[in-house]
Amino acid sequence: MTLPPGPRLPAALQTLAITRNPLEYLDRCVRLYGDVFTGNYLGIGRVVWVADPDGVREILTGDPRVFHAGPNGVLEFLVGKKSVFTVEEEQHRRKRRLLLPPFHGESLQRHVTLFREITEREVASWPIHQPF
């Protein structure tokens, strides 16, 4: 199995780039390599990034024996050892089942008005005709 393409910079430079400005680094990688690319980082190793919503859905709902975080998953330092993103197989399946109901379409639909009001209030506070 070959990994998707990605930056050829040494791991130290990729680590520096993603640490200094992660959004700029990831945006640049998506532009250059597409929605799926590989990075290489000090202390972590190779990471396959998936920016395509269908690809993310496939990973999150796929066979946990195929799609797994692996030992010391890259997200563990961000979300913890017991996150749905870092646990494996049956534990992942149980946590995912607990999380699904609030994200079901009907549940989210009940909050649309609140989401809209909060968004409109926030946007109304932004300055006009000047960067912020």
Side-chain angles (χ1 to χ4, degrees), residues 30-106:
V30 168
R31 281 194 313 275
L32 292 172
Y33 306 106
D35 286 339
V36 180
F37 62 92
T38 302
N40 190 18
Y41 311 100
L42 292 178
I44 297 172
R46 297 202 184 280
V47 174
V48 175
W49 294 91
V50 180
D52 173 63
D54 291 332
V56 172
R57 186 177 304 106
E58 181 180 347
I59 291 166
L60 292 177
T61 61
D63 185 341
R65 291 169 297 179
V66 175
F67 297 108
H68 58 90
N72 302 311
V74 67
L75 291 177
E76 196 171 281
F77 72 96
L78 290 173
V79 297
K81 291 182 178 189
K82 296 183 180 183
S83 167
V84 70
F85 294 111
T86 56
V87 296
E88 303 286 356
E89 300 185 22
E90 186 54 38
Q91 191 177 15
H92 172 80
R93 210 177 346 266
R94 275 195 313 271
K95 286 182 178 282
R96 192 177 73 206
R97 253 187 258 125
L98 288 172
L99 287 173
L100 285 178
F103 293 101
H104 188 270
E106 290 176 17

